[in-house]
Amino acid sequence: MRTKRRSSTPGMKNMTLHLFGAAQEIGRSCFLLKIFDKAILLDCGIDPKKGGKERYPDLLKYVADANMGKTEQKTITELIDFVLITHYHIDHSGAIPYLVEICGYSGPIYTTHPTLESIPILLNDNSKLDQLGKGQRFFHAKPKMLENSLKNVIGHGMEKMVISGVSVTPYNAGHVIGSVMYFVEYMGASVLYTGDYNMTPNWLLRPAALPMLCPDVLITESTYGTVVRSSKKIRDREFLLKVHEGVSGGGKVLIPVQALGRAQELCLLVDMYWERMRLGHIPVYADSWMRERGNKVFGRFREWTNVDTDTKELENLFEYKHIERFRAEYLQQPGPMVIFSSPGSLSGGTSLEIFKELAPHKENKVIIPGYCKNNLLDKKILEGGEQDLKVGNEKISVKLQVENLSFTSHTDKKGILQLVMQVNPASVVLVHGDLPKMVALRNTIKRAISVPVSMPQNNTCHLLDTRLEMMEGVLRKDGKPCLYSEQGYPWRKKCSGSSGVGKLIEEYETRLVAALRCVPAHKREGVRRVFVRECIGGYAMKQILKARMNIGTHGVARTTALLFPRKGRTIEEIIGEVVVLFYPERLVQRVAESEVAVDNGLSVLFEEKDDRIRASVKYTEANTRKMMSVLRHFKS
Ligand SMILES: [Zn+2]
C-alpha cells in the first residue's frame, strides 16, 4: 500500500487512516482507522455508479499487503477488530455482503437499531438492481448470502459503548433515520467520523448536534462543501408550488423518490398541503411499500424521529388522508394526479416505467428531488427541452416538463463549518466529496479556525496526528525543544529589523492559537474577555477564543490582552490562570512582581486597573537571556 506522509515530524505515528473509497469522490465510503493496536472499519459501502471490482472497497488487497513477507498470515477478522456502520445507504453499508462472503470477515459489525432494521430492505433492493445491471459480473449477493452476511450485525442505542477496549459514542447525524456519527476514543487519542449528516431539521428528523468533543481528528463528509442552501421552509414551499402548478395545468406529476426517508417526508408534506388547500379531488398515489416501510421503520423507532405527536399521532403517521396505493392501470385515468414512485433515480424499476408513460405529453411533469447528476439518463432528462431518449432498446420522445429541487439530507457549507466549530477538532480530514469542492472547503475551514485540513486519496494510508503529537510539533523543532536547536535560537535572526518583530509576533500568535487548543476547559474559568488587535494571527486567535472558549474579543493594541477577571480573584490567581491558558506545558518564570517570562523569550506584564487586568506581551533580549540561563540550569 502506498503511504503518504503528511507531517514532517519524525517517529512512528500512532494513528492512521486507510481509505478504500469516498476519497476525493462520492460513493463507496469505507475507511480503516488504526489507533495504536486497534483497527476499526468505518462504514463498508459500494459505489453504485460503478460496475465490477471498482464497485467494492479493495479489502482483499489490504489483507494481502498486510501479510506480505510475513510467515504468520492473518485473516481479515484478525486484522479488523470491529466494524461501525453510520447509516443504511448502500454507499455506506452495501459492501457488507462482500466483506463477509468474499473477504471472509466474521467479526462483529455495529450499527443503530433503525439501521439494522433498514439494511436488509436496502440491500434486497440493491441486489435486484445488481441483477439487472453491471454489478453482477463481479459479485452478486443472493438472498441466502445476504441473510448470512447480516447475522453478525449488532444493533445498539445511543449510549456510550466499550468495544474491545475502545470507547465508542454514537451521536445523532440527522441524515436518515438511525444515522449516527461515531466518536472513537482509545489510549488518549480520539476521532470523530461523521458519515453523512444534516444540520437542519426536516419533517421527520432532528438535526445533528454535538458537544465540544475536541477530537484529535474530525473526518467529515463534504458533499455540498461549497453550497449554501436556501432554508428548508422555502424549499418545502417551492416543492409544493411546483406540484400544485403541475396538477393545475391538468397534467400528471411524477416524483421519483428514494425507498426510505425522502419518500415518507415528501408524502407527509403533500398530504398536509392537500388537506390545507382542499385539493382532495385530485388523486395522489404512492407505492404501497412507502406506507409499510415508513411504519415499519419510523413507527417502531419513535425516539429517533422529530415528529410532533401533538399534531399527528405517530402510530398513524403514514396513514395518509389523501394518498392512495398506486396501481398501474390508474395511469390510464384522464385528468391530473400526483405519483410518488421509486427508485429515486430513473435508472430502472417502477419510476422509469411511469416516466416512459408520461414522457410524451407536454402537460405532464417530473420533479426530481435529489442528487442524481451521476446517473446518465437523469442527467439527460434534467437538461430539459423536447428530446428523443434511448432507454434500453426503446426510444421515447420526451416532451414533459422537468424540475429539479435540491432536497438533500446532506448538510451544506454553512452546516459543515458549524459542525467544525461545535466539535473543535485539532485537525480535519475531508472525505465524500468532489475534489474541486473539497479544495474550496479546505480553504474555508482553514480561514475560519486555522487547523490542518487534508483530503487524502483512495487506496492510500494517511497518517494522523494525535493532539499530543501536534502540541509537540508546535513546541519542538526536529524533535528537540526550540531553544536547543542546532542553529541556535531560531527567532533571533527574524527579530533584527522592524519587520522581523512582525514576523516574531505572527509566529508567536500561531503558536498561541495552537497552545490554546490544548487547554482543558476547566482551566479557562478565570478569563472572560481577551482583547486582541486585528492582525493576521490575531484574527484566527479571535475566532478560536470566541468559538471554542466563549471568550469575547475586541481590537486594541497588538499583543495586548485585557482581561476581565471574575470577582473575588486575586491577581496572583489570575496570573496563574493566564499562564496556564496561554503557555501550557511551557517553562514559565516569575521575573518581577507582576511579570512572567516564557521560554521563548517573551514576557507578559500584568497591570491591575479598575477591576481589569492588562496583560502586555513583549519581547526583550534580557528576558531571552534570563530564560536561557534557567533552561541551562534545568538541563544540568
Ligand atoms: Zn447517506
Side-chain angles (χ1 to χ4, degrees), residues 87 89 91-92 175 196 410:
H87 65 290
H89 282 157
D91 59 330
H92 293 257
H175 174 61
D196 296 347
H410 289 273

Side-chain angles (χ1 to χ4, degrees), residues 198 200 224 227-231 235 406 408-412:
N198 197 357
T200 45
Y224 289 98
V227 182
V228 175
R229 276 196 304 270
S230 56
S231 84
R235 251 176 300 150
S406 168
T408 170
S409 41
H410 289 273
T411 187
D412 63 356

Side-chain angles (χ1 to χ4, degrees), residues 171-377:
Y171 288 96
N172 172 37
H175 174 61
V176 290
I177 189 159
S179 65
V180 285
M181 304 184 182
Y182 283 110
F183 182 51
V184 175
E185 296 163 283
Y186 183 61
M187 286 178 59
S190 60
V191 173
L192 176 69
Y193 170 56
T194 66
D196 296 347
Y197 61 100
N198 197 357
M199 300 294 282
T200 45
N202 67 26
W203 283 98
L204 293 173
L205 299 171
R206 283 189 297 271
L210 286 96
M212 196 197 278
L213 295 168
C214 302
D216 292 328
V217 183
L218 166 70
I219 306 169
T220 176
E221 67 134 317
S222 45
T223 322
Y224 289 98
T226 53
V227 182
V228 175
R229 276 196 304 270
S230 56
S231 84
K232 181 86 186 76
K233 239 185 182 150
I234 295 172
R235 251 176 300 150
D236 285 355
R237 208 164 41 219
E238 206 183 332
F239 166 72
L240 291 167
L241 223 62
K242 285 190 164 143
V243 176
H244 200 161
E245 274 167 17
V247 290
S248 305
K252 296 180 170 58
V253 178
L254 167 67
I255 305 162
V257 273
Q258 286 163 17
L260 193 64
R262 181 70 32 76
Q264 285 79 13
E265 188 200 346
L266 295 185
C267 282
L268 201 63
L269 208 59
V270 165
D271 197 48
M272 289 191 285
Y273 184 77
W274 246 234
E275 178 72 13
R276 203 166 61 237
M277 304 299 283
R278 297 169 193 218
L279 292 170
H281 56 286
I282 300 171
V284 183
Y285 301 114
D287 291 345
S288 60
W289 51 257
M290 283 187 190
R291 183 174 304 172
E292 286 155 21
R293 283 179 184 182
N295 280 337
K296 188 170 179 202
V297 180
F298 285 91
R300 274 197 55 193
F301 299 104
R302 183 195 191 103
E303 69 278 13
W304 292 83
T305 67
N306 191 25
V307 177
D308 182 358
T309 41
D310 289 344
T311 52
K312 193 134 186 171
E313 285 288 317
L314 197 81
E315 285 70 25
N316 305 319
L317 184 61
F318 301 111
E319 297 304 318
Y320 306 110
K321 199 167 172 193
H322 300 281
I323 302 179
E324 284 171 51
R325 183 178 174 163
F326 175 73
R327 287 179 206 282
E329 61 263 30
Y330 292 165
L331 274 180
Q332 308 313 321
Q333 286 172 6
M337 64 176 70
V338 178
I339 311 155
F340 285 96
S341 186
S342 77
S345 83
L346 295 166
S347 54
T350 324
S351 57
L352 179 63
E353 290 309 311
I354 300 173
F355 175 79
K356 285 197 242 170
E357 283 285 326
L358 302 189
H361 308 285
K362 247 188 191 141
E363 69 277 16
N364 293 338
K365 188 188 252 188
V366 59
I367 303 178
I368 300 175
Y371 190 88
C372 52
K373 71 165 201 181
N374 290 311
N375 181 307
L376 213 64
L377 183 64

Side-chain angles (χ1 to χ4, degrees), residues 86-133:
T86 56
H87 65 290
Y88 61 68
H89 282 157
I90 53 167
D91 59 330
H92 293 257
S93 73
I96 295 175
Y98 173 76
L99 173 73
V100 175
E101 295 292 314
I102 302 295
C103 305
Y105 177 75
S106 61
I109 301 169
Y110 292 88
T111 194
T112 62
H113 292 298
T115 308
L116 178 62
E117 193 94 356
S118 315
I119 283 179
I121 304 175
L122 272 285
L123 286 187
N124 264 312
D125 283 3
N126 179 52
S127 166
K128 280 179 210 152
L129 280 177
D130 259 6
Q131 221 161 2
L132 300 169

Side-chain angles (χ1 to χ4, degrees), residues 11 61 227 253 286 290 292 300 313 316 388 390 402 422 491 495 539 603 621:
K61 184 174 183 301
V227 182
V253 178
M290 283 187 190
E292 286 155 21
R300 274 197 55 193
E313 285 288 317
N316 305 319
D388 287 332
K390 213 172 166 245
V402 180
Q422 258 176 31
W491 297 337
C495 299
Y539 177 73
S603 82
E621 290 280 337

